Amino acid sequence: MLSRVLGRKCSTSNALRSFQVYRYNPQDGKSPHLQDYKVDTSNCVMMLDVLLEIKNKHDSSLTFRRSCREGVCGSCAMNINGKNCLACLTKVGRDEDGIASTVVLPLPHMFVIKDLVVDMTHFYQQYKSIEPWLKTKHQKEDGQREFLQSKEERAKLDGMWECILCACCNTSCPSYWWNTPTFPGPAILLQAYKMIADSRDDFAKERMEALRGEMKIGRCHTIRNCSNTCPKGLNPAEKILQIKGMLG
Ligand code: SF4
Ligand code: SF4
Ligand code: FES
């Protein structure tokens, strides 16, 4: 009945699928390893459904982040069959897609806290470093309650405000892997550009100068892994090029 409601085929042989999931628990003394689960996916549309099925019916110790289950919070970012993605927006692979087994790993080149949960502390510190809040140099006029924007000024933020800070792009970027201490990575550079492009902010010049440097924005070599992986369809590589163009 459920498969009819969801409008998809459901055959028992195709529904039972194999998932190899990264397991690591710093408290059990075991090395990180892949654990194989055979899961009945007849009620699973997205990969997050599969992980919940494993946790609820196979192994309650499996640990992963999730909240909104609709691509808004960014917490279920992970690497599935070699691609960084959001588990809640990634469909379960089927035989007809040529996918026999699915490998689920944490985001690459991040410290793992447990299973699929990575340490986002440095990423958030880098985000904080760009001061992602509006700053002005002038006071509001008498009676003014808000700093207003025209529709055209607001439109300049399109392609940036949609970023959910999932870190799929940063963790797919080779430059970020090797230069994590200094290179902010595509997500943070895109967020910095959002502040630079916002007509309500008076610190565009200072914000730009803060990004200048061979070990900062200069570490981007326009490989575009970031734009290829963004689950929200954003193009951070293009924004980085625009910042570079403005810096001259
Ligand atoms: S640009 Fe895309 S991939 Fe990168 S953090 Fe934002 S939403 Fe995630
Ligand atoms: S375009 Fe720049 S930021 Fe994006 S993956 Fe390549 S090096 Fe990293
Ligand atoms: S659970 Fe929120 S983006 Fe996937």
Side-chain angles (χ1 to χ4, degrees):
M1 183 63 180
L2 180 62
S3 62
R4 283 187 59 200
V5 172
L6 294 174
R8 60 196 164 81
K9 285 188 230 162
C10 173
S11 73
T12 308
S13 60
N14 197 25
L16 192 66
R17 303 197 63 79
S18 168
F19 297 88
Q20 293 175 284
V21 183
Y22 182 96
R23 302 303 311 271
Y24 170 63
N25 181 350
Q27 292 176 335
D28 69 9
K30 292 185 194 164
S31 298
H33 58 280
L34 290 179
Q35 187 162 346
D36 193 44
Y37 297 96
K38 299 276 185 295
V39 182
D40 177 356
T41 61
S42 50
N43 290 331
C44 302
V45 179
M46 298 297 179
M47 281 300 300
L48 182 59
D49 301 328
V50 172
L51 294 174
L52 289 168
E53 187 82 1
I54 294 173
K55 189 166 181 74
N56 292 337
K57 297 189 180 163
H58 296 249
D59 185 348
S60 63
S61 70
L62 180 65
T63 305
F64 52 93
R65 292 190 179 108
R66 84 280 182 272
S67 180
C68 70
R69 66 105 176 97
E70 53 193 34
V72 174
C73 72
S75 61
C76 68
M78 57 189 71
N79 184 288
I80 297 177
N81 277 346
K83 182 162 187 188
N84 292 355
C85 58
L86 299 174
C88 67
L89 295 188
T90 302
K91 286 190 177 159
V92 180
R94 303 284 171 190
D95 286 340
E96 54 266 37
D97 306 323
I99 297 173
S101 154
T102 300
V103 178
V104 184
L105 305 175
L107 287 176
H109 282 256
M110 298 287 271
F111 292 107
V112 175
I113 296 173
K114 190 178 178 211
D115 296 340
L116 301 171
V117 174
V118 296
D119 187 351
M120 300 286 281
T121 306
H122 185 64
F123 180 78
Y124 292 138
Q125 282 170 346
Q126 288 177 310
Y127 180 47
K128 187 179 174 190
S129 76
I130 61 156
E131 302 191 339
W133 49 82
L134 293 173
K135 299 195 295 181
T136 66
K137 292 181 179 174
H138 59 276
Q139 299 292 317
K140 287 182 192 155
E141 293 168 18
D142 281 350
Q144 184 183 4
R145 295 181 60 193
E146 298 169 4
F147 293 102
L148 301 176
Q149 283 184 311
S150 67
K151 282 187 181 173
E152 293 72 27
E153 288 168 339
R154 161 62 190 79
K156 289 181 181 168
L157 307 181
D158 286 346
M160 297 184 281
W161 66 264
E162 302 94 326
C163 172
I164 55 173
L165 286 166
C166 65
C168 282
C169 57
N170 267 38
T171 55
S172 72
C173 169
S175 280
Y176 188 70
W177 297 343
W178 312 130
N179 304 285
T180 306
T182 58
F183 179 50
I188 308 304
L189 289 169
L190 177 133
Q191 290 288 337
Y193 191 33
K194 185 174 70 145
M195 305 311 302
I196 290 166
D198 196 313
S199 60
R200 298 165 298 177
D201 190 275
D202 293 330
F203 283 77
K205 198 163 166 246
E206 293 86 342
R207 291 181 187 280
M208 298 252 299
E209 284 307 315
L211 302 177
R212 191 190 289 279
E214 186 50 33
M215 296 306 290
K216 292 186 174 178
I217 197 166
R219 285 292 98 182
C220 171
H221 300 301
T222 324
I223 307 162
R224 293 184 187 272
N225 278 11
C226 52
S227 301
N228 287 338
T229 202
C230 176
K232 302 295 283 187
L234 306 181
N235 192 348
E238 196 57 38
K239 300 300 176 199
I240 296 170
L241 275 179
Q242 289 173 15
I243 302 172
K244 283 182 170 177
M246 289 189 288
L247 280 170

